[in-house]
mmCIF file of all heavy atoms in Angstrom:
data_model
loop_
_atom_site.group_PDB
_atom_site.id
_atom_site.type_symbol
_atom_site.label_atom_id
_atom_site.label_comp_id
_atom_site.label_asym_id
_atom_site.label_seq_id
_atom_site.Cartn_x
_atom_site.Cartn_y
_atom_site.Cartn_z
ATOM 1 N N PRO A 117 74.934 61.982 15.775
ATOM 2 C CA PRO A 117 73.871 61.573 14.893
ATOM 3 C C PRO A 117 73.814 62.420 13.671
ATOM 4 O O PRO A 117 73.940 63.651 13.687
ATOM 5 C CB PRO A 117 72.606 61.767 15.726
ATOM 6 C CG PRO A 117 73.028 61.743 17.118
ATOM 7 C CD PRO A 117 74.427 62.372 17.131
ATOM 8 N N LEU A 118 73.529 61.800 12.486
ATOM 9 C CA LEU A 118 73.317 62.506 11.228
ATOM 10 C C LEU A 118 71.868 62.470 10.914
ATOM 11 O O LEU A 118 71.186 61.528 11.322
ATOM 12 C CB LEU A 118 74.172 61.878 10.161
ATOM 13 C CG LEU A 118 75.656 61.788 10.321
ATOM 14 C CD1 LEU A 118 76.285 60.982 9.201
ATOM 15 C CD2 LEU A 118 76.238 63.168 10.327
ATOM 16 N N ILE A 119 71.358 63.426 10.104
ATOM 17 C CA ILE A 119 70.030 63.395 9.690
ATOM 18 C C ILE A 119 69.941 62.856 8.254
ATOM 19 O O ILE A 119 70.387 63.521 7.356
ATOM 20 C CB ILE A 119 69.410 64.820 9.723
ATOM 21 C CG1 ILE A 119 69.436 65.377 11.209
ATOM 22 C CG2 ILE A 119 67.941 64.779 9.210
ATOM 23 C CD1 ILE A 119 69.129 66.815 11.264
ATOM 24 N N PRO A 120 69.481 61.608 8.057
ATOM 25 C CA PRO A 120 69.405 61.141 6.661
ATOM 26 C C PRO A 120 68.298 61.790 5.881
ATOM 27 O O PRO A 120 67.330 62.207 6.376
ATOM 28 C CB PRO A 120 69.005 59.629 6.893
ATOM 29 C CG PRO A 120 69.369 59.339 8.341
ATOM 30 C CD PRO A 120 69.158 60.630 9.045
ATOM 31 N N TYR A 121 68.597 61.935 4.544
ATOM 32 C CA TYR A 121 67.740 62.540 3.645
ATOM 33 C C TYR A 121 67.066 61.488 2.734
ATOM 34 O O TYR A 121 67.740 60.606 2.202
ATOM 35 C CB TYR A 121 68.468 63.510 2.726
ATOM 36 C CG TYR A 121 68.995 64.726 3.551
ATOM 37 C CD1 TYR A 121 70.257 64.718 4.058
ATOM 38 C CD2 TYR A 121 68.187 65.862 3.731
ATOM 39 C CE1 TYR A 121 70.778 65.777 4.781
ATOM 40 C CE2 TYR A 121 68.698 66.955 4.479
ATOM 41 C CZ TYR A 121 69.945 66.888 4.974
ATOM 42 O OH TYR A 121 70.455 67.943 5.705
ATOM 43 N N TYR A 122 65.765 61.614 2.558
ATOM 44 C CA TYR A 122 64.993 60.671 1.705
ATOM 45 C C TYR A 122 65.189 61.150 0.258
ATOM 46 O O TYR A 122 65.003 62.279 -0.068
ATOM 47 C CB TYR A 122 63.561 60.570 2.048
ATOM 48 C CG TYR A 122 62.789 59.530 1.202
ATOM 49 C CD1 TYR A 122 62.924 58.228 1.529
ATOM 50 C CD2 TYR A 122 62.060 59.989 0.146
ATOM 51 C CE1 TYR A 122 62.229 57.285 0.774
ATOM 52 C CE2 TYR A 122 61.344 59.031 -0.632
ATOM 53 C CZ TYR A 122 61.465 57.673 -0.306
ATOM 54 O OH TYR A 122 60.839 56.773 -1.047
ATOM 55 N N ILE A 123 65.524 60.255 -0.615
ATOM 56 C CA ILE A 123 65.822 60.557 -2.077
ATOM 57 C C ILE A 123 65.138 59.399 -2.953
ATOM 58 O O ILE A 123 65.403 58.259 -2.650
ATOM 59 C CB ILE A 123 67.257 60.621 -2.386
ATOM 60 C CG1 ILE A 123 67.874 61.800 -1.573
ATOM 61 C CG2 ILE A 123 67.525 60.862 -3.923
ATOM 62 C CD1 ILE A 123 69.399 61.880 -1.727
ATOM 63 N N GLU A 124 64.455 59.802 -3.922
ATOM 64 C CA GLU A 124 63.931 58.908 -4.908
ATOM 65 C C GLU A 124 64.621 59.212 -6.233
ATOM 66 O O GLU A 124 64.674 60.446 -6.623
ATOM 67 C CB GLU A 124 62.419 58.960 -5.125
ATOM 68 C CG GLU A 124 61.670 58.423 -3.911
ATOM 69 C CD GLU A 124 60.139 58.374 -4.206
ATOM 70 O OE1 GLU A 124 59.701 58.575 -5.362
ATOM 71 O OE2 GLU A 124 59.445 57.987 -3.229
ATOM 72 N N SER A 125 65.150 58.178 -6.903
ATOM 73 C CA SER A 125 65.838 58.481 -8.167
ATOM 74 C C SER A 125 64.822 58.589 -9.329
ATOM 75 O O SER A 125 63.713 58.118 -9.239
ATOM 76 C CB SER A 125 66.861 57.409 -8.468
ATOM 77 O OG SER A 125 66.187 56.229 -8.924
ATOM 78 N N LYS A 126 65.296 59.132 -10.418
ATOM 79 C CA LYS A 126 64.591 58.984 -11.674
ATOM 80 C C LYS A 126 64.889 57.566 -12.177
ATOM 81 O O LYS A 126 65.889 56.985 -11.789
ATOM 82 C CB LYS A 126 65.068 60.079 -12.698
ATOM 83 C CG LYS A 126 64.647 61.480 -12.275
ATOM 84 C CD LYS A 126 65.196 62.422 -13.295
ATOM 85 C CE LYS A 126 64.826 63.818 -12.954
ATOM 86 N NZ LYS A 126 65.395 64.836 -13.885
ATOM 87 N N PRO A 127 64.111 57.060 -13.054
ATOM 88 C CA PRO A 127 64.459 55.717 -13.634
ATOM 89 C C PRO A 127 65.780 55.821 -14.317
ATOM 90 O O PRO A 127 66.153 56.853 -14.863
ATOM 91 C CB PRO A 127 63.288 55.490 -14.652
ATOM 92 C CG PRO A 127 62.189 56.325 -14.153
ATOM 93 C CD PRO A 127 62.788 57.539 -13.577
ATOM 94 N N PHE A 128 66.598 54.753 -14.209
ATOM 95 C CA PHE A 128 67.891 54.701 -14.811
ATOM 96 C C PHE A 128 68.214 53.287 -15.288
ATOM 97 O O PHE A 128 67.454 52.420 -14.980
ATOM 98 C CB PHE A 128 68.964 55.161 -13.827
ATOM 99 C CG PHE A 128 69.037 54.350 -12.586
ATOM 100 C CD1 PHE A 128 69.871 53.278 -12.402
ATOM 101 C CD2 PHE A 128 68.227 54.685 -11.442
ATOM 102 C CE1 PHE A 128 69.943 52.516 -11.226
ATOM 103 C CE2 PHE A 128 68.333 53.952 -10.232
ATOM 104 C CZ PHE A 128 69.188 52.860 -10.223
#
Side-chain angles (χ1 to χ4, degrees):
L118 302 174
I119 300 167
Y121 294 92
Y122 183 78
I123 298 173
E124 290 189 5
S125 76
K126 293 180 180 176
F128 59 92

